[in-house]
Amino acid sequence: MGKPVVHWEFWSKDPDKLSDFYSKVFDWKIQFIPEMNYRAVETGGQGGINGGIFTPERSGPWPGNMSYYIDVEDLASYRKRITEAGGKILVEEQQIPGMGSFALFADSEVRVLGIWKRTGQ
C-alpha cells in the first residue's frame, strides 16, 4: 500500500497576502492560529487535501516555497530510508501537540518534503 500525501504548506514572507489571494480565488477557508503563527487552510473539496500557510523561522535562503507531507507509520524508519536513498534530513522529528509529529527532508534533487505520523498511529 502506498503512502498518501496528507497535508501541504506554502511558505510565504507575507502569509496574510497569500492567504487573501487563495481565499478570494478559490474560496478556501483560512483560519489564523496565532499561537502557532500559522494559517490552516480548508480547501473544501471531496477527497481534497487541506494545508497551511506560514513563514518559516529561518535565516538565509529558503530551500523552496512549499512542501508536501507524506503519511507514514514510523518516522525513524523513514528518516533512515530517506538518508539511505540519498536524501537528507533537514528538520528532525518535531511534535504538534494533539495531532502528530513530523520531520522535513530533502530528496535527491534537494526538493523539500515532510513525513508525518498522526497521533495514535
Side-chain angles (χ1 to χ4, degrees):
M1 183 173 181
K3 303 295 176 207
V5 172
V6 294
H7 188 76
W8 55 263
E9 289 177 332
F10 292 158
W11 304 348
S12 173
K13 293 183 180 179
D14 191 345
D16 287 330
K17 183 177 179 183
L18 189 63
S19 295
D20 189 51
F21 173 85
Y22 281 97
S23 178
K24 286 179 179 174
V25 174
F26 297 109
D27 295 323
W28 288 356
K29 305 297 181 241
I30 302 174
Q31 176 188 1
F32 180 56
I33 304 169
E35 59 273 15
M36 295 173 59
N37 196 21
Y38 193 85
R39 285 139 190 90
V41 179
E42 183 182 328
T43 61
Q46 286 290 347
I49 301 170
N50 295 323
I53 300 172
F54 77 109
T55 302
E57 294 181 22
R58 164 181 190 91
S59 60
W62 290 359
N65 62 7
M66 67 180 298
S67 185
Y68 293 97
Y69 290 80
I70 301 162
D71 191 33
V72 299
E73 63 279 349
D74 180 36
L75 291 178
S77 68
Y78 277 87
R79 287 195 322 266
K80 182 178 179 189
R81 291 172 75 165
I82 287 164
T83 57
E84 288 174 349
K88 180 180 178 182
I89 301 301
L90 301 174
V91 175
E92 291 294 338
E93 184 172 335
Q94 293 188 14
Q95 299 260 323
I96 305 294
M99 296 177 72
S101 53
F102 73 95
L104 293 178
F105 68 95
D107 67 14
S108 59
E109 294 182 356
V110 197
R111 187 175 297 107
V112 177
L113 298 151
I115 49 177
W116 172 257
K117 181 182 179 217
R118 288 173 285 152
T119 298
Q121 182 176 349

